[in-house]
mmCIF file of all heavy atoms in Angstrom:
data_model
loop_
_atom_site.group_PDB
_atom_site.id
_atom_site.type_symbol
_atom_site.label_atom_id
_atom_site.label_comp_id
_atom_site.label_asym_id
_atom_site.label_seq_id
_atom_site.Cartn_x
_atom_site.Cartn_y
_atom_site.Cartn_z
ATOM 1 N N GLN A 1 327.615 -205.839 28.338
ATOM 2 C CA GLN A 1 327.393 -206.790 27.234
ATOM 3 C C GLN A 1 328.237 -208.029 27.490
ATOM 4 O O GLN A 1 329.345 -207.938 27.973
ATOM 5 C CB GLN A 1 327.795 -206.176 25.850
ATOM 6 C CG GLN A 1 326.869 -205.017 25.444
ATOM 7 C CD GLN A 1 325.493 -205.524 25.100
ATOM 8 O OE1 GLN A 1 325.353 -206.634 24.580
ATOM 9 N NE2 GLN A 1 324.466 -204.711 25.332
ATOM 10 N N VAL A 2 327.631 -209.150 27.112
ATOM 11 C CA VAL A 2 328.282 -210.410 27.231
ATOM 12 C C VAL A 2 328.439 -211.022 25.861
ATOM 13 O O VAL A 2 327.475 -211.066 25.047
ATOM 14 C CB VAL A 2 327.541 -211.367 28.103
ATOM 15 C CG1 VAL A 2 328.211 -212.766 28.118
ATOM 16 C CG2 VAL A 2 327.475 -210.863 29.547
ATOM 17 N N GLN A 3 329.627 -211.426 25.529
ATOM 18 C CA GLN A 3 329.886 -212.075 24.223
ATOM 19 C C GLN A 3 330.088 -213.575 24.483
ATOM 20 O O GLN A 3 330.859 -213.922 25.365
ATOM 21 C CB GLN A 3 331.102 -211.470 23.502
ATOM 22 C CG GLN A 3 331.409 -212.073 22.158
ATOM 23 C CD GLN A 3 332.584 -211.470 21.514
ATOM 24 O OE1 GLN A 3 333.259 -210.530 22.065
ATOM 25 N NE2 GLN A 3 332.922 -211.906 20.325
ATOM 26 N N LEU A 4 329.442 -214.387 23.691
ATOM 27 C CA LEU A 4 329.563 -215.781 23.805
ATOM 28 C C LEU A 4 330.000 -216.349 22.458
ATOM 29 O O LEU A 4 329.491 -216.017 21.371
ATOM 30 C CB LEU A 4 328.216 -216.412 24.160
ATOM 31 C CG LEU A 4 327.517 -215.939 25.415
ATOM 32 C CD1 LEU A 4 326.167 -216.531 25.535
ATOM 33 C CD2 LEU A 4 328.360 -216.272 26.653
ATOM 34 N N VAL A 5 330.989 -217.203 22.487
ATOM 35 C CA VAL A 5 331.576 -217.816 21.313
ATOM 36 C C VAL A 5 331.606 -219.327 21.431
ATOM 37 O O VAL A 5 332.316 -219.841 22.314
ATOM 38 C CB VAL A 5 332.994 -217.282 20.982
ATOM 39 C CG1 VAL A 5 333.555 -217.948 19.702
ATOM 40 C CG2 VAL A 5 332.982 -215.774 20.822
ATOM 41 N N GLU A 6 330.918 -220.052 20.617
ATOM 42 C CA GLU A 6 330.806 -221.482 20.631
ATOM 43 C C GLU A 6 331.954 -222.081 19.744
ATOM 44 O O GLU A 6 332.334 -221.474 18.757
ATOM 45 C CB GLU A 6 329.517 -222.023 20.181
ATOM 46 C CG GLU A 6 328.319 -221.537 20.946
ATOM 47 C CD GLU A 6 327.604 -220.382 20.286
ATOM 48 O OE1 GLU A 6 328.266 -219.679 19.496
ATOM 49 O OE2 GLU A 6 326.418 -220.176 20.536
ATOM 50 N N SER A 7 332.360 -223.276 20.094
ATOM 51 C CA SER A 7 333.267 -223.989 19.283
ATOM 52 C C SER A 7 333.096 -225.474 19.579
ATOM 53 O O SER A 7 332.479 -225.872 20.508
ATOM 54 C CB SER A 7 334.726 -223.615 19.581
ATOM 55 O OG SER A 7 335.109 -223.847 20.911
ATOM 56 N N GLY A 8 333.708 -226.286 18.703
ATOM 57 C CA GLY A 8 333.647 -227.720 18.936
ATOM 58 C C GLY A 8 332.677 -228.485 18.040
ATOM 59 O O GLY A 8 332.697 -229.760 18.095
ATOM 60 N N GLY A 9 331.886 -227.836 17.298
ATOM 61 C CA GLY A 9 330.969 -228.450 16.377
ATOM 62 C C GLY A 9 331.746 -229.107 15.197
ATOM 63 O O GLY A 9 332.887 -228.884 14.977
ATOM 64 N N GLY A 10 330.982 -229.909 14.496
ATOM 65 C CA GLY A 10 331.640 -230.596 13.352
ATOM 66 C C GLY A 10 330.770 -231.757 12.864
ATOM 67 O O GLY A 10 329.631 -231.913 13.229
ATOM 68 N N LEU A 11 331.412 -232.569 12.055
ATOM 69 C CA LEU A 11 330.765 -233.772 11.492
ATOM 70 C C LEU A 11 331.220 -234.985 12.299
ATOM 71 O O LEU A 11 332.433 -235.147 12.479
ATOM 72 C CB LEU A 11 331.117 -233.952 10.018
ATOM 73 C CG LEU A 11 330.658 -235.157 9.310
ATOM 74 C CD1 LEU A 11 329.164 -235.201 9.242
ATOM 75 C CD2 LEU A 11 331.289 -235.194 7.922
ATOM 76 N N VAL A 12 330.282 -235.762 12.691
ATOM 77 C CA VAL A 12 330.591 -236.981 13.463
ATOM 78 C C VAL A 12 329.667 -238.122 13.009
ATOM 79 O O VAL A 12 328.519 -237.902 12.603
ATOM 80 C CB VAL A 12 330.456 -236.714 14.948
ATOM 81 C CG1 VAL A 12 328.992 -236.416 15.358
ATOM 82 C CG2 VAL A 12 330.996 -237.873 15.780
ATOM 83 N N GLN A 13 330.150 -239.327 13.087
ATOM 84 C CA GLN A 13 329.357 -240.509 12.748
ATOM 85 C C GLN A 13 328.411 -240.843 13.892
ATOM 86 O O GLN A 13 328.641 -240.493 15.066
ATOM 87 C CB GLN A 13 330.262 -241.726 12.523
ATOM 88 C CG GLN A 13 331.203 -241.593 11.304
ATOM 89 C CD GLN A 13 330.423 -241.730 10.006
ATOM 90 O OE1 GLN A 13 329.426 -242.431 9.936
ATOM 91 N NE2 GLN A 13 330.881 -241.024 9.014
ATOM 92 N N ALA A 14 327.286 -241.422 13.558
ATOM 93 C CA ALA A 14 326.320 -241.873 14.563
ATOM 94 C C ALA A 14 327.015 -242.720 15.563
ATOM 95 O O ALA A 14 327.784 -243.601 15.197
ATOM 96 C CB ALA A 14 325.172 -242.573 13.914
ATOM 97 N N GLY A 15 326.682 -242.441 16.832
ATOM 98 C CA GLY A 15 327.293 -243.209 17.932
ATOM 99 C C GLY A 15 328.545 -242.536 18.499
ATOM 100 O O GLY A 15 329.045 -242.900 19.535
ATOM 101 N N GLY A 16 329.015 -241.507 17.803
ATOM 102 C CA GLY A 16 330.191 -240.809 18.248
ATOM 103 C C GLY A 16 329.887 -239.701 19.257
ATOM 104 O O GLY A 16 328.765 -239.513 19.652
ATOM 105 N N SER A 17 330.951 -238.932 19.554
ATOM 106 C CA SER A 17 330.825 -237.915 20.596
ATOM 107 C C SER A 17 331.485 -236.599 20.084
ATOM 108 O O SER A 17 332.394 -236.593 19.273
ATOM 109 C CB SER A 17 331.537 -238.337 21.876
ATOM 110 O OG SER A 17 330.989 -239.516 22.433
ATOM 111 N N LEU A 18 330.955 -235.507 20.697
ATOM 112 C CA LEU A 18 331.533 -234.186 20.470
ATOM 113 C C LEU A 18 331.499 -233.469 21.782
ATOM 114 O O LEU A 18 330.491 -233.693 22.589
ATOM 115 C CB LEU A 18 330.812 -233.360 19.414
ATOM 116 C CG LEU A 18 331.055 -233.719 17.975
ATOM 117 C CD1 LEU A 18 330.078 -232.942 17.080
ATOM 118 C CD2 LEU A 18 332.502 -233.504 17.578
ATOM 119 N N ARG A 19 332.381 -232.546 22.051
ATOM 120 C CA ARG A 19 332.265 -231.635 23.162
ATOM 121 C C ARG A 19 332.271 -230.261 22.653
ATOM 122 O O ARG A 19 333.260 -229.711 22.024
ATOM 123 C CB ARG A 19 333.425 -231.833 24.173
ATOM 124 C CG ARG A 19 333.221 -231.080 25.481
ATOM 125 C CD ARG A 19 334.262 -231.212 26.498
ATOM 126 N NE ARG A 19 335.472 -230.411 26.210
ATOM 127 C CZ ARG A 19 336.365 -230.067 27.155
ATOM 128 N NH1 ARG A 19 336.251 -230.527 28.386
ATOM 129 N NH2 ARG A 19 337.394 -229.387 26.805
ATOM 130 N N LEU A 20 331.184 -229.539 22.916
ATOM 131 C CA LEU A 20 331.048 -228.145 22.538
ATOM 132 C C LEU A 20 331.517 -227.270 23.725
ATOM 133 O O LEU A 20 331.391 -227.584 24.879
ATOM 134 C CB LEU A 20 329.638 -227.800 22.274
ATOM 135 C CG LEU A 20 328.901 -228.618 21.214
ATOM 136 C CD1 LEU A 20 327.473 -228.105 21.008
ATOM 137 C CD2 LEU A 20 329.661 -228.680 19.898
ATOM 138 N N SER A 21 332.151 -226.141 23.345
ATOM 139 C CA SER A 21 332.611 -225.190 24.299
ATOM 140 C C SER A 21 332.011 -223.813 24.043
ATOM 141 O O SER A 21 331.746 -223.476 22.865
ATOM 142 C CB SER A 21 334.173 -225.046 24.294
ATOM 143 O OG SER A 21 334.750 -226.266 24.655
ATOM 144 N N CYS A 22 331.803 -223.084 25.067
ATOM 145 C CA CYS A 22 331.258 -221.720 24.916
ATOM 146 C C CYS A 22 332.104 -220.788 25.845
ATOM 147 O O CYS A 22 332.050 -220.925 27.055
ATOM 148 C CB CYS A 22 329.782 -221.640 25.309
ATOM 149 S SG CYS A 22 329.073 -219.992 25.390
ATOM 150 N N LEU A 23 332.824 -219.912 25.232
ATOM 151 C CA LEU A 23 333.679 -218.980 25.975
ATOM 152 C C LEU A 23 332.966 -217.670 26.113
ATOM 153 O O LEU A 23 332.470 -217.044 25.140
ATOM 154 C CB LEU A 23 334.995 -218.792 25.242
ATOM 155 C CG LEU A 23 335.954 -217.799 25.806
ATOM 156 C CD1 LEU A 23 336.446 -218.231 27.184
ATOM 157 C CD2 LEU A 23 337.138 -217.531 24.883
ATOM 158 N N ALA A 24 332.819 -217.176 27.314
ATOM 159 C CA ALA A 24 332.124 -215.932 27.640
ATOM 160 C C ALA A 24 333.160 -214.802 27.962
ATOM 161 O O ALA A 24 334.181 -215.017 28.577
ATOM 162 C CB ALA A 24 331.162 -216.140 28.762
ATOM 163 N N SER A 25 332.828 -213.614 27.555
ATOM 164 C CA SER A 25 333.589 -212.446 27.887
ATOM 165 C C SER A 25 332.671 -211.277 28.026
ATOM 166 O O SER A 25 331.539 -211.255 27.552
ATOM 167 C CB SER A 25 334.672 -212.168 26.776
ATOM 168 O OG SER A 25 334.008 -211.924 25.510
ATOM 169 N N GLY A 26 333.171 -210.242 28.736
ATOM 170 C CA GLY A 26 332.399 -209.008 28.843
ATOM 171 C C GLY A 26 331.466 -208.956 30.030
ATOM 172 O O GLY A 26 330.750 -207.980 30.177
ATOM 173 N N GLY A 27 331.499 -209.917 30.924
ATOM 174 C CA GLY A 27 330.628 -209.942 32.025
ATOM 175 C C GLY A 27 331.172 -210.863 33.165
ATOM 176 O O GLY A 27 332.243 -211.459 32.984
ATOM 177 N N THR A 28 330.429 -210.906 34.242
ATOM 178 C CA THR A 28 330.817 -211.788 35.333
ATOM 179 C C THR A 28 330.210 -213.120 35.048
ATOM 180 O O THR A 28 329.022 -213.372 35.393
ATOM 181 C CB THR A 28 330.450 -211.214 36.707
ATOM 182 O OG1 THR A 28 330.956 -209.866 36.852
ATOM 183 C CG2 THR A 28 330.979 -212.074 37.849
ATOM 184 N N PHE A 29 331.017 -214.003 34.560
ATOM 185 C CA PHE A 29 330.506 -215.297 34.037
ATOM 186 C C PHE A 29 329.825 -216.084 35.161
ATOM 187 O O PHE A 29 328.737 -216.679 34.929
ATOM 188 C CB PHE A 29 331.675 -216.106 33.455
ATOM 189 C CG PHE A 29 331.245 -217.458 33.006
ATOM 190 C CD1 PHE A 29 330.545 -217.654 31.855
ATOM 191 C CD2 PHE A 29 331.617 -218.578 33.750
ATOM 192 C CE1 PHE A 29 330.177 -218.915 31.367
ATOM 193 C CE2 PHE A 29 331.226 -219.870 33.351
ATOM 194 C CZ PHE A 29 330.532 -219.995 32.174
ATOM 195 N N SER A 30 330.382 -216.084 36.354
ATOM 196 C CA SER A 30 329.838 -216.893 37.389
ATOM 197 C C SER A 30 328.465 -216.476 37.880
ATOM 198 O O SER A 30 327.819 -217.215 38.582
ATOM 199 C CB SER A 30 330.815 -216.933 38.592
ATOM 200 O OG SER A 30 330.965 -215.637 39.147
ATOM 201 N N ARG A 31 327.999 -215.288 37.513
ATOM 202 C CA ARG A 31 326.720 -214.777 37.915
ATOM 203 C C ARG A 31 325.567 -215.180 36.999
ATOM 204 O O ARG A 31 324.405 -214.974 37.305
ATOM 205 C CB ARG A 31 326.782 -213.274 38.026
ATOM 206 C CG ARG A 31 327.724 -212.748 39.083
ATOM 207 C CD ARG A 31 327.813 -211.227 39.047
ATOM 208 N NE ARG A 31 326.553 -210.587 39.377
ATOM 209 C CZ ARG A 31 326.401 -209.242 39.400
ATOM 210 N NH1 ARG A 31 327.389 -208.453 39.070
ATOM 211 N NH2 ARG A 31 325.192 -208.754 39.690
ATOM 212 N N TYR A 32 325.935 -215.739 35.886
ATOM 213 C CA TYR A 32 324.892 -216.118 34.889
ATOM 214 C C TYR A 32 324.596 -217.578 34.885
ATOM 215 O O TYR A 32 325.406 -218.460 35.042
ATOM 216 C CB TYR A 32 325.430 -215.736 33.497
ATOM 217 C CG TYR A 32 325.470 -214.249 33.248
ATOM 218 C CD1 TYR A 32 326.636 -213.526 33.447
ATOM 219 C CD2 TYR A 32 324.355 -213.548 32.820
ATOM 220 C CE1 TYR A 32 326.666 -212.221 33.213
ATOM 221 C CE2 TYR A 32 324.358 -212.217 32.646
ATOM 222 C CZ TYR A 32 325.550 -211.564 32.803
ATOM 223 O OH TYR A 32 325.630 -210.155 32.600
ATOM 224 N N ALA A 33 323.310 -217.826 34.680
ATOM 225 C CA ALA A 33 322.893 -219.203 34.342
ATOM 226 C C ALA A 33 323.194 -219.398 32.871
ATOM 227 O O ALA A 33 323.110 -218.483 32.104
ATOM 228 C CB ALA A 33 321.383 -219.371 34.608
ATOM 229 N N MET A 34 323.673 -220.574 32.553
ATOM 230 C CA MET A 34 324.005 -220.873 31.180
ATOM 231 C C MET A 34 323.179 -221.981 30.628
ATOM 232 O O MET A 34 322.773 -222.941 31.311
ATOM 233 C CB MET A 34 325.473 -221.296 31.121
ATOM 234 C CG MET A 34 326.477 -220.263 31.683
ATOM 235 S SD MET A 34 326.450 -218.735 30.757
ATOM 236 C CE MET A 34 327.006 -219.285 29.163
ATOM 237 N N GLY A 35 322.902 -221.861 29.333
ATOM 238 C CA GLY A 35 322.107 -222.909 28.672
ATOM 239 C C GLY A 35 322.609 -223.175 27.292
ATOM 240 O O GLY A 35 323.326 -222.416 26.690
ATOM 241 N N TRP A 36 322.213 -224.354 26.839
ATOM 242 C CA TRP A 36 322.444 -224.785 25.460
ATOM 243 C C TRP A 36 321.150 -225.068 24.773
ATOM 244 O O TRP A 36 320.265 -225.684 25.348
ATOM 245 C CB TRP A 36 323.305 -226.077 25.389
ATOM 246 C CG TRP A 36 324.724 -225.888 25.733
ATOM 247 C CD1 TRP A 36 325.361 -226.062 26.900
ATOM 248 C CD2 TRP A 36 325.742 -225.446 24.816
ATOM 249 N NE1 TRP A 36 326.710 -225.762 26.803
ATOM 250 C CE2 TRP A 36 326.972 -225.415 25.582
ATOM 251 C CE3 TRP A 36 325.795 -225.077 23.479
ATOM 252 C CZ2 TRP A 36 328.171 -225.037 24.969
ATOM 253 C CZ3 TRP A 36 326.953 -224.722 22.930
ATOM 254 C CH2 TRP A 36 328.152 -224.661 23.689
ATOM 255 N N PHE A 37 320.976 -224.539 23.596
ATOM 256 C CA PHE A 37 319.844 -224.703 22.739
ATOM 257 C C PHE A 37 320.285 -225.228 21.360
ATOM 258 O O PHE A 37 321.436 -225.117 21.023
ATOM 259 C CB PHE A 37 319.004 -223.439 22.628
ATOM 260 C CG PHE A 37 318.368 -222.963 23.902
ATOM 261 C CD1 PHE A 37 319.101 -222.371 24.888
ATOM 262 C CD2 PHE A 37 317.048 -223.231 24.133
ATOM 263 C CE1 PHE A 37 318.570 -221.918 26.065
ATOM 264 C CE2 PHE A 37 316.437 -222.774 25.363
ATOM 265 C CZ PHE A 37 317.182 -222.128 26.261
ATOM 266 N N ARG A 38 319.342 -225.721 20.614
ATOM 267 C CA ARG A 38 319.686 -226.131 19.227
ATOM 268 C C ARG A 38 318.485 -225.852 18.353
ATOM 269 O O ARG A 38 317.336 -225.780 18.723
ATOM 270 C CB ARG A 38 320.021 -227.629 19.190
ATOM 271 C CG ARG A 38 318.936 -228.570 19.505
ATOM 272 C CD ARG A 38 319.446 -230.009 19.640
ATOM 273 N NE ARG A 38 318.407 -230.962 20.004
ATOM 274 C CZ ARG A 38 318.611 -232.189 20.372
ATOM 275 N NH1 ARG A 38 319.882 -232.653 20.500
ATOM 276 N NH2 ARG A 38 317.595 -232.965 20.689
ATOM 277 N N GLN A 39 318.793 -225.732 17.071
ATOM 278 C CA GLN A 39 317.771 -225.442 16.103
ATOM 279 C C GLN A 39 318.122 -226.156 14.773
ATOM 280 O O GLN A 39 319.162 -225.939 14.222
ATOM 281 C CB GLN A 39 317.592 -223.934 15.797
ATOM 282 C CG GLN A 39 316.460 -223.610 14.957
ATOM 283 C CD GLN A 39 316.101 -222.141 14.983
ATOM 284 O OE1 GLN A 39 316.991 -221.334 15.266
ATOM 285 N NE2 GLN A 39 314.890 -221.789 14.701
ATOM 286 N N ALA A 40 317.175 -227.059 14.399
ATOM 287 C CA ALA A 40 317.377 -227.809 13.129
ATOM 288 C C ALA A 40 316.521 -227.056 12.115
ATOM 289 O O ALA A 40 315.555 -226.314 12.393
ATOM 290 C CB ALA A 40 316.891 -229.191 13.263
ATOM 291 N N PRO A 41 316.826 -227.248 10.805
ATOM 292 C CA PRO A 41 316.073 -226.584 9.705
ATOM 293 C C PRO A 41 314.597 -226.838 9.824
ATOM 294 O O PRO A 41 314.176 -227.999 9.959
ATOM 295 C CB PRO A 41 316.697 -227.187 8.461
ATOM 296 C CG PRO A 41 318.061 -227.544 8.834
ATOM 297 C CD PRO A 41 317.969 -228.035 10.256
ATOM 298 N N GLY A 42 313.770 -225.787 9.767
ATOM 299 C CA GLY A 42 312.370 -225.938 9.789
ATOM 300 C C GLY A 42 311.782 -226.138 11.177
ATOM 301 O O GLY A 42 310.557 -226.402 11.245
ATOM 302 N N LYS A 43 312.566 -226.135 12.206
ATOM 303 C CA LYS A 43 312.074 -226.377 13.525
ATOM 304 C C LYS A 43 312.350 -225.178 14.470
ATOM 305 O O LYS A 43 313.195 -224.354 14.122
ATOM 306 C CB LYS A 43 312.671 -227.622 14.138
ATOM 307 C CG LYS A 43 312.357 -228.891 13.360
ATOM 308 C CD LYS A 43 312.943 -230.145 14.128
ATOM 309 C CE LYS A 43 312.554 -231.400 13.422
ATOM 310 N NZ LYS A 43 313.134 -232.590 14.094
ATOM 311 N N GLU A 44 311.608 -225.164 15.550
ATOM 312 C CA GLU A 44 311.788 -224.151 16.539
ATOM 313 C C GLU A 44 313.097 -224.426 17.343
ATOM 314 O O GLU A 44 313.572 -225.568 17.438
ATOM 315 C CB GLU A 44 310.684 -224.083 17.590
ATOM 316 C CG GLU A 44 309.332 -223.667 16.955
ATOM 317 C CD GLU A 44 309.222 -222.212 16.760
ATOM 318 O OE1 GLU A 44 309.977 -221.491 17.450
ATOM 319 O OE2 GLU A 44 308.477 -221.798 15.889
ATOM 320 N N ARG A 45 313.703 -223.374 17.820
ATOM 321 C CA ARG A 45 314.853 -223.497 18.710
ATOM 322 C C ARG A 45 314.377 -224.174 19.975
ATOM 323 O O ARG A 45 313.419 -223.818 20.586
ATOM 324 C CB ARG A 45 315.446 -222.172 19.025
ATOM 325 C CG ARG A 45 316.729 -222.260 19.814
ATOM 326 C CD ARG A 45 317.440 -220.917 19.860
ATOM 327 N NE ARG A 45 317.766 -220.432 18.496
ATOM 328 C CZ ARG A 45 318.492 -219.341 18.275
ATOM 329 N NH1 ARG A 45 318.969 -218.609 19.281
ATOM 330 N NH2 ARG A 45 318.768 -218.943 17.031
#
């Protein structure tokens, strides 16, 4: 089993920046392809 924990989200003004982090545990991280997805209300991921 692999556990993934995201952090770094929040509220930002338009034009600003954020850096999201995802910490993995429980597996060999280097062996996995990694992806980021997003889902807004009423929309598909």
Side-chain angles (χ1 to χ4, degrees):
Q1 293 291 327
V2 175
Q3 182 180 1
L4 305 174
V5 180
E6 302 98 337
S7 62
L11 175 64
V12 65
Q13 295 287 328
S17 299
L18 286 173
R19 190 178 80 158
L20 306 183
S21 298
C22 175
L23 177 64
S25 61
T28 305
F29 177 76
S30 62
R31 297 175 63 182
Y32 289 95
M34 302 297 298
W36 286 97
F37 294 78
R38 65 189 179 193
Q39 188 166 23
K43 296 185 178 181
E44 294 283 336
R45 187 169 299 187

